[in-house]
Amino acid sequence: MDGHVNIDRDEKTLSVEESGSRSGKKRRRSQNQDVSASQPPTQSSRPEGESARPDALDTESAYNNSQTRDPATQGVVRRHPRGGGGGGGGGDAGARGESEGRDGHVSASTRGNVQDARRMMQPQSEWEELEEEEEELKYGAQHVIKLFIPVSLCMLVVVATVSSVRFYTQKGIYLLYTPFHETSPSFGDRFFDAVRNSLILLGVVVVLTVLLIILYKKRCYKIIHGWLLMSSLLLLFFFTIMYMQELLRGYNIGMDWITVSICVWNFGVMRMVSIHWHGPLPLQQAYLIFIASLMSLMFIKYLPEYTLWMVLAVISLWDLVAVLCPKGPLRILVETAQERNEPIFPALIYSSNFMYSTLGMANPDDDSRSQGREMAQEGTSNSGSAASGAEGTQRPRDNPQRRRNAENGHVVADDAGFTDDWRGQLDKRTRQRREQVNNFAQQNPSNVDYPQAHPRDLTAEEDDERGVKLGLGDFIFYSVLVGKASSYGDWNTTLACFIAILIGLCLTLIMLAIFKKALPALPISITFGLIFYFSTSLLVVPFTEKLASQQVYI
Amino acid sequence: MTVAEFFGCGLIAFGPSLAMFGLTIATDPIRTIMLVASAFFWLLALLFSSILYTAVVQLQDYLAFGVVFSVLFQELFRFLWFLLIQKAEGGLKKVSDGNMQIVENKHILAYVSGLGFGMISGAFSLVNVLADMTGPGTIGMKGDPKNFFIASAVTSLAFILLHVFWGILFFNALHRRAYLQLAYVILCHMLASCITLMNPIYSVTIPTIWILTILSGVLAFIVAGGSHRTIQSAFRGRPQVLQVNADATGNFTQVGGM
């Protein structure tokens, strides 16, 4: 038992041993996870074997492994056994590992189905084994909503602004990167302009991405942080002032400069503090959403019409390449970040963590799981109550410790790079990435050495690193699409794009659950959005207009 | 008048459905996702019917053609959505995490997807009209009906509710292989849509549609297992249900009842 169970967590090990005979299901569940972390056979199948819970085990183990003080786990906590075969444990563990490995296989093969909540039927017999998945999927469903809400809010801000303030739909000034202004009357020329503009923009994005990765590789953190700080300063103060000005002008409200400057100063400084240092999570999220909206308003305003649509297409293709390509820059970035065991640029990622995921961190699997279970419905299954019962005793013990660690400045769970799918907008305009380092942990186990990953100094922000992460770039481009659609004044198109993007996001998250792999969030959503924008505005709107004007309902 | 009219009509049309959404759906992530997905299916149906409408150039002057095929497409996509849910049932079991209500009580999913269809269709038929309400402009200048907006809002509300009931009836019909109900849904939808072709003779269309709505509502209520007693128990035992309107009460009772 010692060989693999403690790979995941220390205290859990004890509880598993104690309750092993008592609740078979629970044991199996914990074994499954341990196996998935430790057994060679599962290693290959793990990408799809992992479940929808985006902050998966590795993170937590990282956390636990940093607490190697526990005698039960001391010295065995290395994660390597996963790569090198369960041989780390004794013969008992090996034998058991065998069977569990199979177990893990079963669940791995079926998990794919499970995740794919829309396609596959699940035979009843298998579903006991997969009980653990259930919670994680529940968790996944909640994560989907946790992303739906901010994305919708961001779009709402953009759409409301675009449709009420005329400034953002007036053309005339364009970005430096788009020298071709689509002034020619012929469609072909304008299209060509758009292609050239978007290629220039893409070039800028690529160059800046590569630059950032080089800086990151060379550990020039100061430069990167300076860059990010500068860009967010500019974004905050300059664009906020501009936004306020246009908003006031749009609604014809008078306000003196002193008030404005005090407001903007407070707003901006608060934001700098809350994002670059720390602050309450809702505040951070609100700021990130607001910044994404400002950014996408800038795009809507300063990109020529066709260029904007072309940029959306090109950027989502680039996203695909950068994240999925073996030598893709964003992938390299994640790999590096993961090797160094550190989070990447909090200013660029929206993370949707919530209360019980921070608890779950203290006691990775079952804590969060039982929490979720309690939230959903209590004690529907024996194992559920058993798990929560077992965990209930551990939680109080864990939390103070975690707190203490946090206060001491230890890294407690430094996981941004590990499991969560994150994306970042690197340069303030155009960069996005989305990563899930877990993936790399699976692919290159040798790269990952959690126990040896030295604790970085981190303030008590470790809570804020959890949950699903979506880069600001995604927010920006989603909002750009919807905002641009609404700028033509047709609400049906806007609605269609909104629904299409949400469905795309949902599909992306489902695929994330299936593949357990860093996935770009733009391609599916933006493709859906573009398809629905063009088809709605060309085909559907004439039809619905006619229906609405004649009051015919379908 | 414009802004007041905007809010009035908007709340008439979407108030009940928003209340239903907030009370019964928003609390559950899975239901929310299902709602969005079913709305997406309605969009697909609309897209296909628009493609057909645009493709058949000769018949573009006859809206009836588009309406009939649109109704058929909607019911087709409702069926496809049903099939998809059937396929995904196992997955849903996992997702619903012990909260087996959504899997065991088929009417919940039916209700959710019906509401999804209803909300998106109501939105598509009314948002642009709503946006026009805020002005500038005056309604009814050239002999056009003066109560265009309010009639639109009331009809939209009826259609949103109708979609909810149709969703329940349709899914129930497929589950129990009660093809008469299926036919009822399709015919009712067809009738309701075709009646609106008679607009703006509101004195005919609106009562007819509302009669259909109430009829479908009662049918859906019965099909979902509601009866005189469940209403009573709903009013007695669960005072919070009082806030839902009568039609939704049926569903809600059922939701809580099983």
Side-chain angles (χ1 to χ4, degrees):
Chain A
M1 185 109 195
D2 46 357
H4 57 277
V5 171
N6 49 24
I7 285 165
D8 257 318
R9 54 204 166 270
D10 30 21
E11 317 213 80
K12 177 66 184 143
T13 310
L14 302 175
S15 76
V16 164
E17 278 168 347
E18 286 157 14
S19 63
S21 58
R22 182 162 48 103
S23 63
K25 268 186 200 167
K26 183 186 171 214
R27 205 182 73 189
R28 181 163 16 176
R29 183 200 299 149
S30 66
Q31 283 165 3
N32 263 355
Q33 280 159 359
D34 297 332
V35 161
S36 64
S38 66
Q39 284 300 312
T42 43
Q43 189 198 342
S44 57
S45 63
R46 204 173 167 216
E48 66 266 25
E50 276 291 346
S51 74
R53 193 165 53 113
D55 30 355
L57 314 170
D58 305 51
T59 340
E60 343 265 15
S61 64
Y63 162 61
N64 278 320
N65 291 340
S66 68
Q67 298 187 335
T68 36
R69 294 173 281 295
D70 194 314
T73 46
Q74 201 128 34
V76 221
V77 207
R78 297 180 56 102
R79 294 206 55 158
H80 277 310
R82 183 184 52 159
D92 177 24
R96 214 162 117 197
E98 281 296 70
S99 62
E100 283 156 9
R102 249 181 286 119
D103 217 347
H105 259 314
V106 170
S107 46
S109 60
T110 47
R111 271 173 207 175
N113 307 354
V114 177
Q115 323 295 348
D116 194 353
R118 278 139 208 271
R119 270 162 230 147
M120 305 276 192
M121 279 284 269
Q122 193 66 44
Q124 189 74 28
S125 58
E126 281 174 333
W127 110 257
E128 282 182 10
E129 284 181 306
L130 300 171
E131 184 146 10
E132 57 169 294
E133 294 312 316
E134 183 187 314
E135 188 55 54
E136 292 161 354
L137 273 169
K138 173 77 180 178
Y139 208 68
Q142 264 161 354
H143 274 179
V144 174
I145 297 300
K146 295 276 170 194
L147 285 184
F148 271 20
I149 293 168
V151 166
S152 312
L153 279 177
C154 186
M155 290 176 185
L156 190 75
V157 172
V158 171
V159 168
T161 313
V162 163
S163 52
S164 64
V165 180
R166 194 182 291 164
F167 172 76
Y168 287 102
T169 48
Q170 282 167 345
K171 291 296 173 191
I173 316 164
Y174 295 115
L175 280 184
L176 188 66
Y177 309 116
T178 56
F180 307 103
H181 290 170
E182 299 179 4
T183 45
S184 159
S186 91
F187 175 77
D189 286 352
R190 294 168 75 177
F191 183 75
F192 188 52
D193 278 359
V195 170
R196 284 188 292 182
N197 280 337
S198 54
L199 286 182
I200 292 171
L201 212 61
L202 180 67
V204 175
V205 171
V206 172
V207 168
L208 289 179
T209 315
V210 171
L211 186 65
L212 189 111
I213 282 158
I214 291 170
L215 285 178
Y216 194 68
K217 276 269 187 197
K218 305 269 183 222
R219 293 178 183 274
C220 306
Y221 293 122
K222 289 239 167 73
I223 300 178
I224 295 176
H225 280 289
W227 180 2
L228 289 178
L229 220 65
M230 281 303 295
S231 60
S232 56
L233 263 179
L234 180 74
L235 196 66
L236 264 172
F237 289 106
F238 188 62
F239 287 171
T240 309
I241 287 176
M242 211 158 116
Y243 181 73
M244 247 181 115
Q245 199 177 347
E246 294 307 326
L247 207 64
L248 293 175
R249 190 175 291 163
Y251 284 101
N252 200 15
I253 303 169
M255 193 180 276
D256 56 307
W257 277 103
I258 299 171
T259 317
V260 170
S261 51
I262 288 176
C263 287
V264 169
W265 171 258
N266 279 308
F267 182 79
V269 168
M270 177 104 112
R271 188 268 183 192
M272 294 303 272
V273 168
S274 77
I275 290 183
H276 289 283
W277 188 40
H278 68 257
L281 186 77
L283 193 69
Q284 277 186 19
Q285 291 175 336
Y287 271 118
L288 288 174
I289 291 172
F290 181 72
I291 281 181
S293 329
L294 277 189
M295 213 45 240
S296 46
L297 284 172
M298 286 300 116
F299 274 118
I300 292 171
K301 162 91 179 154
Y302 291 116
L303 285 184
E305 191 172 339
Y306 289 85
T307 305
L308 190 133
W309 296 112
M310 194 56 77
V311 162
L312 282 176
V314 167
I315 285 287
S316 55
L317 281 180
W318 161 248
D319 202 22
L320 203 64
V321 171
V323 178
L324 294 182
C325 190
K327 284 289 167 195
L330 300 184
R331 200 163 162 164
I332 292 174
L333 190 76
V334 187
E335 219 164 311
T336 318
Q338 178 220 3
E339 275 170 30
R340 297 184 192 166
N341 194 8
E342 58 192 22
I344 312 176
F345 316 137
L348 303 174
I349 306 157
Y350 176 91
S351 70
S352 76
N353 57 345
F354 37 100
M355 209 35 209
Y356 57 87
S357 86
T358 65
L359 283 174
M361 188 171 60
N363 200 352
D365 307 310
D366 283 17
D367 215 22
S368 56
R369 182 172 310 151
S370 58
Q371 286 273 339
R373 193 179 292 273
E374 282 155 20
M375 279 196 53
Q377 191 134 33
E378 280 194 292
T380 41
S381 66
N382 292 336
S383 70
S385 47
S388 43
E391 254 55 55
T393 56
Q394 296 180 11
R395 215 176 300 145
R397 202 170 27 157
D398 258 350
N399 276 342
Q401 168 140 41
R402 191 165 59 82
R403 278 290 150 225
R404 202 172 57 233
N405 286 344
E407 283 157 18
N408 291 345
H410 277 291
V411 84
V412 182
D414 182 6
D415 55 5
F418 286 118
T419 53
D420 299 331
D421 132 319
W422 60 270
R423 314 190 91 236
Q425 181 216 8
L426 299 191
D427 146 289
K428 68 181 185 289
R429 320 212 125 85
T430 38
R431 211 58 73 74
Q432 69 290 132
R433 73 179 65 83
R434 168 196 188 108
E435 316 276 343
Q436 192 193 25
V437 181
N438 218 351
N439 174 33
F440 298 99
Q442 293 147 15
Q443 288 178 352
N444 324 311
S446 59
N447 284 344
V448 196
D449 198 354
Y450 290 124
Q452 289 177 353
H454 39 275
R456 264 173 73 244
D457 267 358
L458 200 74
T459 43
E461 286 181 344
E462 80 278 9
D463 293 1
D464 303 339
E465 301 291 344
R466 311 199 53 83
V468 175
K469 297 190 175 178
L470 192 68
L472 282 198
D474 298 313
F475 279 87
I476 291 172
F477 285 104
Y478 293 164
S479 310
V480 164
L481 204 155
V482 175
K484 190 66 185 173
S486 79
S487 74
Y488 297 116
D490 184 73
W491 288 94
N492 283 353
T493 323
T494 315
L495 263 179
C497 288
F498 172 67
I499 300 274
I501 284 178
L502 284 192
I503 289 293
L505 185 61
C506 204
L507 284 182
T508 310
L509 289 173
I510 288 174
M511 281 173 69
L512 185 75
I514 296 170
F515 294 118
K516 267 296 161 189
K517 192 176 172 177
L519 287 178
L522 282 181
I524 301 178
S525 286
I526 294 292
T527 310
F528 273 33
L530 287 177
I531 290 174
F532 269 82
Y533 170 73
F534 285 108
S535 61
T536 308
S537 61
L538 293 177
L539 300 170
V540 175
V541 164
F543 186 47
T544 50
E545 286 272 289
K546 206 160 185 183
L547 289 177
S549 64
Q550 302 197 11
Q551 286 187 303
V552 176
Y553 288 78
I554 51 168
Chain B
M1 178 69 182
T2 49
V3 176
E5 192 167 31
F6 168 79
F7 279 107
C9 290
L11 287 178
I12 286 175
F14 298 115
S17 54
L18 284 181
M20 283 150 89
F21 173 74
L23 288 176
T24 57
I25 300 203
T27 47
D28 188 348
I30 295 145
R31 290 185 201 179
T32 316
I33 294 170
M34 293 312 245
L35 186 89
V36 176
S38 62
F40 184 71
F41 265 71
W42 189 87
L43 271 185
L44 285 177
L46 181 69
L47 180 61
F48 277 93
S49 39
S50 304
I51 289 173
L52 187 74
Y53 177 76
T54 317
V56 186
V57 186
Q58 296 88 344
L59 291 176
Q60 273 183 6
D61 292 336
Y62 304 99
L63 211 49
F65 162 76
V67 169
V68 166
F69 276 92
S70 172
V71 168
L72 291 180
F73 268 116
Q74 283 176 63
E75 297 303 331
L76 176 69
F77 272 86
R78 207 196 292 274
F79 179 64
L80 291 180
W81 173 237
F82 172 81
L83 286 186
L84 193 69
I85 291 180
Q86 287 293 102
K87 292 273 184 206
E89 196 171 75
L92 270 181
K93 272 180 192 160
K94 308 295 161 299
V95 177
S96 56
D97 169 46
N99 183 359
M100 296 301 284
Q101 223 182 22
I102 196 165
V103 183
E104 279 167 1
N105 189 345
K106 306 282 184 202
H107 300 302
I108 295 179
L109 267 184
Y111 162 72
V112 169
S113 44
L115 191 60
F117 267 61
M119 283 175 86
I120 190 76
S121 90
F124 258 70
S125 52
L126 201 67
V127 252
N128 278 328
V129 179
L130 273 180
D132 290 339
M133 272 180 214
T134 51
T138 308
I139 192 76
M141 287 279 276
K142 296 181 180 172
D144 292 329
K146 284 207 187 332
N147 41 12
F148 181 90
F149 287 150
I150 187 82
S152 288
V154 170
T155 321
S156 290
L157 171 61
F159 266 84
I160 293 173
L161 293 178
L162 273 174
H163 268 290
V164 175
F165 304 141
W166 288 335
I168 294 168
L169 288 171
F170 193 91
F171 278 38
N172 181 66
L174 288 174
H175 276 301
R176 300 196 185 155
R177 308 199 176 281
Y179 295 112
L180 210 63
Q181 272 180 40
L182 205 66
Y184 168 78
V185 170
I186 296 173
L187 285 180
C188 184
H189 194 172
M190 195 69 88
L191 181 64
S193 287
C194 290
I195 279 284
T196 56
L197 283 169
M198 288 172 67
N199 272 334
I201 312 172
Y202 299 131
S203 55
V204 177
T205 56
I206 291 180
T208 319
I209 287 169
W210 273 95
I211 287 170
L212 285 178
T213 309
I214 291 165
L215 181 66
S216 306
V218 170
L219 276 178
F221 180 63
I222 293 168
V223 151
S227 68
H228 186 60
R229 206 179 309 137
T230 55
I231 294 179
Q232 273 185 344
S233 65
F235 275 80
R236 232 183 295 122
R238 315 183 56 164
Q240 75 273 23
V241 181
L242 283 174
Q243 293 160 4
V244 191
N245 70 16
D247 304 314
T249 312
N251 304 321
F252 197 72
T253 318
Q254 180 56 25
V255 166
M258 277 182 73

